[in-house]
Amino acid sequence: MAVPWFPRKGSPVSGPERWMKQALALARMADAEGEVPVGALITRNNVIVGEGWNRRESETDPTAHAEMIAIREAARTLGNWRLTDCTLYVTLEPCVQCCGAILLARAPRVVYGAEDPKAGAVKSLFQLLSDPRLNHRCEVTGGVMAEECGAILSSFFERLRGS
């Protein structure tokens, strides 16, 4: 499957829809590898500093979610585990594990596409990124290109079921 061109790390661009399009391109890479199609990227000063897509099957690693991979790469790129000036863009509402990593990385902003009614920990099942009991909270914008983000997931699971 051909992946449309999108700026690589170090390429300046801006706007939540533009970044979500890049995250969708990463989700298509996951889809091409037979992974659940979720893509994530992290920006700092309008430059991509980390990116990832689901790799649980290929890496036989239950923690290899798109967000986790993007967070690890951003920390390596920046030489700092604190992602204090960064924004995470992800095609699907983060789960409990990924929200934990987002909070631990001190990311101030998260933008996601489709809600996840079965595992979402930002709005759907839990509100971890805004929980006042925790020592860090994030500004959250949900629903950015939700229809497109949800469509790639629906298509993947329909193919998986043979529908």
Side-chain angles (χ1 to χ4, degrees):
M1 169 186 278
V3 176
W5 176 87
F6 61 95
R8 304 305 294 168
K9 291 180 293 232
S11 301
V13 293
S14 61
E17 289 80 15
R18 179 71 186 260
W19 293 120
M20 194 59 72
K21 286 181 184 179
Q22 314 315 321
L24 275 165
L26 293 164
R28 286 186 199 94
M29 294 177 78
D31 194 18
E33 294 177 4
E35 300 276 0
V36 174
V38 177
L41 61 88
I42 297 175
T43 63
R44 182 178 183 206
N45 298 326
N46 286 322
V47 174
I48 297 170
V49 295
E51 59 189 18
W53 58 88
N54 274 358
R55 293 187 183 150
R56 292 187 312 169
E57 300 297 331
S58 62
E59 294 186 9
T60 59
D61 179 355
T63 70
H65 290 197
E67 301 96 323
M68 301 295 287
I69 294 166
I71 288 168
R72 289 179 190 127
E73 186 173 297
R76 278 193 302 272
T77 298
L78 298 173
N80 192 339
W81 63 267
R82 292 176 188 90
L83 305 181
T84 54
D85 297 326
C86 297
T87 301
L88 169 70
Y89 295 86
V90 61
T91 58
L92 182 65
E93 178 183 2
C95 69
V96 171
Q97 168 197 249
C98 294
C99 283
I102 291 164
L103 292 168
L104 291 171
R106 308 295 193 265
R109 185 167 184 238
V110 173
V111 178
Y112 68 89
E115 290 183 5
D116 186 351
K118 293 184 178 182
V122 176
K123 177 184 177 191
S124 297
L125 297 179
F126 306 100
Q127 294 79 43
L128 290 179
L129 299 184
S130 59
D131 191 320
R133 296 170 296 177
L134 300 173
N135 67 340
H136 179 72
R137 282 164 291 292
C138 301
E139 173 189 335
V140 175
T141 303
V144 174
M145 297 181 64
E147 199 169 304
E148 295 92 330
C149 293
I152 191 171
L153 286 159
S154 295
S155 175
F156 174 83
F157 287 112
E158 285 172 12
R159 285 192 321 272
L160 197 64
R161 288 188 300 268
S163 306

